[in-house]
């Protein structure tokens, strides 16, 4: 009804503007009205959220992987990524969103995801509640479920982490993992997949308690490749994760970084975000339609650690999951809407660095073979053993990052070597002559040696970082399918949820 009136007003304005233009030809300050407002209500909605992903993360991924020789360490990642080649490039409509929280300009994943899931601003660390934490906000996933649709929530970090939690849980603090786990079970949503729950944060509850309670509510808990492959449309409610996360040897309950995928020993740990998305379609497709939220959560974590290669590889893994939705869209173009965005930028990542002037050497990044996370675990072991010399450590750096290898164009200047030596001392002995605040500017809360290695490698490529936390940089939005044109323009993160809820008629 509202739309009809709007169209009528538009057509009146249009006739008026023709009459006006006829007698005043030099008025080109006017913007053509957007008349593309016809669309069908999408039965299938995919909402992709790249955590910590804004334009620098997307662009650096295409630039870094443009080199033909880039050795892609993940079995699942195709070698054809390069400038202009991400699936995101196929989206016909782009917009831009502001991300600020109710009480802080630079947001966190909880406040941002509350905005994206509900259409309301909230305060830092709050999960789908108002800023005062006195009232729950209904999420678009809950609305879709109430309409009889099936709902899937997928994340490469723990499934109770802030971003996924904001679609099914309501709690004053993102660290209330036990409450979030219980909300997960009570949601009745059909498919949870990716990382596990963070049961090590439970107060008086365990993973066994969680599985028992989930099973009582009709969920199957699956953590093997065979079990995952066997899942089908008749499997009922499913929680699917990776085997190693059962014993919590992983990275805070998250899936491994895409760059480390091949290094996983068990096939049970080699299920990708794209695999989880593809299975989601198989499990959720039904006559009432579905809503699926897919988060690329470790793009953010790699950016917190200022490791651009691990971030880029996770952007590719995220983009491959988008590719799965694109293939589905091609089969159901009249019934599908796909929206892709990030929740905030992370790291203050930029393309361009002081010492390289206008030049970039993104091809140097191809020599990194593992994530900062794996390398930091090695440094921790050296610290414990207490026998590793700086020279020995640099041999390992050469193997894992190429840094120090002149034949690869990665020889070190005296200045760079002094930075590495100082960081190594800090990592192994805790001493390097820096005051605490000076050390924080250099290393954040990360292992000093590892973060100095990634900084120097990134800088040599012509890339730099301003922070170990999020930034207030706006974030792009991409849309494809029914209602896609609603997503063009420059608006607030709360508007994205409002647009999806309106287009899909969730309310
Ligand atoms: Zn973050």
């Amino acid at each position: 009804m509202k739309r009809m009136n709007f169209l009528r007003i538009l057509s009146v304005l249009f006739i008026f503007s023709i009459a006006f233009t006829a007698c005043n030809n030099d008025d080109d300050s006017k913007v053509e009205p957007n008349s593309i407002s016809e669309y069908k209500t999408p039965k299938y909605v995919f909402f992709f959220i790249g955590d910590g992903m804004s334009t620098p993360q997307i662009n650096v991924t295409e630039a870094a992987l443009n080199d033909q020789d880039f050795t892609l360490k993940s079995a699942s990642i195709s070698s054809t990524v390069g400038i202009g080649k991400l699936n995101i490039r196929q989206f016909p409509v782009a917009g831009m969103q502001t991300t600020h929280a109710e009480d802080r300009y630079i947001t966190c994943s909880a406040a941002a995801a509350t905005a994206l899931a509900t259409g309301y601003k909230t305060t830092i660390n709050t999960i789908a509640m108002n800023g005062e934490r006195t009232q729950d906000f209904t999420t678009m996933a809950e609305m879709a479920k109430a309409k009889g649709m099936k709902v899937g929530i997928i994340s490469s970090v723990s499934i109770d982490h802030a971003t996924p939690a904001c679609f099914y849980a309501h709690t004053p603090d993102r660290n209330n993992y036990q409450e979030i786990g219980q909300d997960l079970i009570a949601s009745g949503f059909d498919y949870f997949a990716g990382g596990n729950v963070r049961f090590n944060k439970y107060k008086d509850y365990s993973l066994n308690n969680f599985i028992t309670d989930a099973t009582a509510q009709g969920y199957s808990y699956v953590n093997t490749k065979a079990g995952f492959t066997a899942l089908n449309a008749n499997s009922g409610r499913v929680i699917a994760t990776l085997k190693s996360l059962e014993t919590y040897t992983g990275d805070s309950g998250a899936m491994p970084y895409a760059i480390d995928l091949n290094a996983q020993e068990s096939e049970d740990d080699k299920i990708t975000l794209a695999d989880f998305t593809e299975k989601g379609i198989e499990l959720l497709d039904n006559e009432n339609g579905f809503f699926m939220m897919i988060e690329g959560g470790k793009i953010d974590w790699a950016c917190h650690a200022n490791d651009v290669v691990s971030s880029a590889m996770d952007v590719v893994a995220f983009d491959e999951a988008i590719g799965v939705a694109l293939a589905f869209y091609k089969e159901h173009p009249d019934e599908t809407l796909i929206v892709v965005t990030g929740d905030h930028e992370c790291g203050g990542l930029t393309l361009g660095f002081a010492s390289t002037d206008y030049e970039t050497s993104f091809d140097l990044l191809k020599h990194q073979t593992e994530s900062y996370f794996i390398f930091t675990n090695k440094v921790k072991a050296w610290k414990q053993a207490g026998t590793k010399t700086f020279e020995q450590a640099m041999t390992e750096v050469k193997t894992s990052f190429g840094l120090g290898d002149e034949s690869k164009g990665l020889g070190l200047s005296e200045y760079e070597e002094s930075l590495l030596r100082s960081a190594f001392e800090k990592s192994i002995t805790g001493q390097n002559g820096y005051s605490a605040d000076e050390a924080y500017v250099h290393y954040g809360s990360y292992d000093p040696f590892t973060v100095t290695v990634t900084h120097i490698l990134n800088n040599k490529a012509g890339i730099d970082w301003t922070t170990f936390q999020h930034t207030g940089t706006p974030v792009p939005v991409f849309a494809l399918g029914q209602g896609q044109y609603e997503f063009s323009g420059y608006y607030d993160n709360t508007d994205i949820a409002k647009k999806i809820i309106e287009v899909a008629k969730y309310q």
Side-chain angles (χ1 to χ4, degrees):
M1 204 55 172
K2 217 164 124 192
R3 189 167 305 283
M4 285 304 289
N5 289 337
F6 181 63
L7 278 176
R8 200 162 298 150
I9 292 165
L10 270 185
S11 58
V12 169
L13 280 174
F14 184 60
I15 291 162
F16 200 79
S17 76
I18 288 171
F20 184 71
T21 317
C23 57
N24 186 359
N25 265 332
D26 55 10
D27 178 25
D28 40 37
S29 64
K30 270 210 188 73
V31 175
E32 284 290 308
N34 179 1
S35 58
I36 307 155
S37 54
E38 296 295 316
Y39 56 82
K40 293 177 188 157
T41 305
K43 181 174 159 186
Y44 307 108
V45 175
F46 293 87
F47 192 9
F48 285 91
I49 302 174
D51 204 301
M53 188 188 82
S54 181
T55 45
Q57 283 73 17
I58 295 167
N59 286 40
V60 89
T61 298
E62 290 197 334
L65 300 185
N66 201 43
D67 191 286
Q68 292 297 310
D69 302 329
F70 205 105
T71 312
L72 295 162
K73 293 294 165 185
S74 159
S76 79
I77 290 176
S78 68
S79 56
T80 55
V81 177
I83 291 171
K85 292 193 181 149
L86 284 176
N87 287 313
I88 290 173
R89 294 279 193 149
Q90 295 187 44
F91 283 64
V93 175
M96 189 72 89
Q97 54 142 326
T98 47
T99 63
H100 56 276
E102 189 178 299
D103 58 341
R104 202 173 73 190
Y105 189 78
I106 295 177
T107 194
C108 76
S109 288
T114 297
L116 294 172
T118 73
Y120 292 102
K121 289 281 185 207
T122 193
T123 45
I124 295 301
N125 292 342
T126 308
I127 302 288
M129 296 183 77
N130 64 347
E132 294 76 35
R133 301 168 166 180
T134 52
Q135 185 197 326
D136 293 353
F137 292 142
T138 307
T139 77
M140 63 174 71
E142 291 166 334
M143 291 173 193
K145 187 70 192 164
K147 285 246 163 184
M149 290 165 190
K150 291 200 172 179
V151 173
I153 303 290
I154 304 171
S155 177
S156 54
V157 298
S158 69
I159 200 64
D160 50 12
H161 207 258
T163 307
C166 284
F167 286 81
Y168 61 82
H170 307 272
T171 182
D173 194 303
R174 60 186 287 175
N175 295 306
N176 295 341
Y177 286 104
Q178 185 170 324
E179 288 81 348
I180 295 170
Q182 285 163 338
D183 278 2
L184 184 157
I185 294 167
S187 72
F189 290 1
D190 303 273
Y191 179 57
F192 289 96
N196 203 356
V197 288
R198 290 191 74 174
F199 55 87
N200 69 322
K201 299 277 185 183
Y202 289 170
K203 285 162 266 176
D204 48 4
Y205 205 56
S206 68
L207 180 61
N208 277 341
N209 294 145
F210 174 81
I211 295 172
T212 304
D213 287 354
T215 307
Q217 292 302 316
Y219 286 97
S220 312
Y221 179 85
V222 177
N223 65 359
T224 61
K225 184 95 174 214
F228 177 73
T229 307
L231 290 171
N232 60 51
N234 301 318
S235 295
R237 293 173 181 166
V238 169
I239 299 168
T241 186
L242 305 179
K243 185 73 178 171
S244 66
L245 300 178
E246 191 177 55
T247 45
Y248 206 73
T249 52
D251 182 10
S252 303
M255 289 164 60
Y257 283 101
I259 191 175
D260 299 326
L261 191 73
N262 271 359
Q264 303 305 306
E265 280 165 24
S266 165
E267 286 301 310
D268 294 333
D269 291 322
K270 290 185 180 175
I271 305 169
T272 66
L273 200 62
D275 295 335
F276 282 123
T277 305
E278 194 154 22
K279 185 58 82 175
I281 292 171
E282 192 186 339
L283 299 189
L284 300 177
D285 196 2
N286 75 105
E287 57 184 16
N288 292 329
F290 61 71
F291 169 84
M292 213 189 303
M293 191 289 293
I294 304 100
E295 185 202 19
K298 294 190 93 172
I299 299 164
D300 179 71
W301 294 13
C303 288
H304 277 287
N306 291 181
D307 174 357
V308 83
V309 177
S310 297
S311 168
M313 298 294 253
D314 263 61
V315 168
V316 175
F318 179 61
D319 190 69
E320 289 196 334
I322 294 169
V324 170
L326 282 178
F328 180 85
Y329 169 82
K330 283 168 190 157
E331 302 286 313
H332 310 271
D334 295 339
E335 299 175 289
T336 306
L337 169 66
I338 309 173
V339 177
V340 180
T341 191
D343 56 351
H344 48 71
E345 200 278 335
C346 182
L349 173 62
T350 196
L351 289 80
F353 178 63
S355 74
T356 54
D357 288 329
Y358 283 108
E359 297 305 320
T360 51
S361 307
F362 300 125
D363 60 310
L364 295 175
L365 298 170
K366 70 184 171 206
H367 300 297
Q368 181 173 339
T369 56
E370 63 190 14
S371 69
Y372 80 91
F373 178 74
I374 300 285
F375 192 77
T376 294
N377 283 342
K378 291 181 184 173
V379 178
K380 282 180 187 162
W382 302 342
K383 185 183 179 178
Q384 280 210 315
T387 53
K388 203 80 166 178
T389 65
F390 176 67
E391 285 68 26
Q392 288 169 336
M394 285 311 296
T395 304
E396 306 248 6
V397 167
K398 209 183 269 188
T399 305
S400 301
F401 299 87
L403 211 55
D405 189 336
E406 282 178 33
S407 70
K408 290 176 172 150
L410 284 168
L412 293 167
S413 69
E414 234 169 84
Y415 171 62
E416 288 163 341
E417 198 178 310
S418 74
L419 291 176
L420 287 162
R421 201 176 281 277
S422 170
F424 183 75
E425 278 167 28
K426 178 81 178 164
S427 286
I428 301 297
T429 67
Q431 302 294 318
N432 66 353
Y434 286 149
S435 62
D437 58 343
E438 196 178 357
Y440 188 79
V441 169
H442 287 288
Y443 315 127
S445 54
Y446 290 89
D447 169 56
F449 190 52
T450 310
V451 89
T452 304
V453 167
T454 59
H455 276 169
I456 293 175
L457 176 65
N458 293 184
N459 287 169
K460 282 178 176 297
I463 288 161
D464 201 22
W465 306 86
T466 64
T467 178
F468 298 96
Q469 306 296 359
H470 306 159
T471 71
T473 300
V475 174
V477 185
F478 304 97
L480 166 70
Q482 297 303 316
Q484 62 185 22
Y485 289 105
E486 300 299 310
F487 296 87
S488 76
Y490 190 10
Y491 40 79
D492 189 53
N493 59 2
T494 50
D495 293 322
I496 299 171
K498 288 174 193 161
K499 289 168 192 292
I500 293 175
I501 290 165
E502 195 197 324
V503 167
K505 293 203 172 75
Y506 284 161
Q507 222 176 19

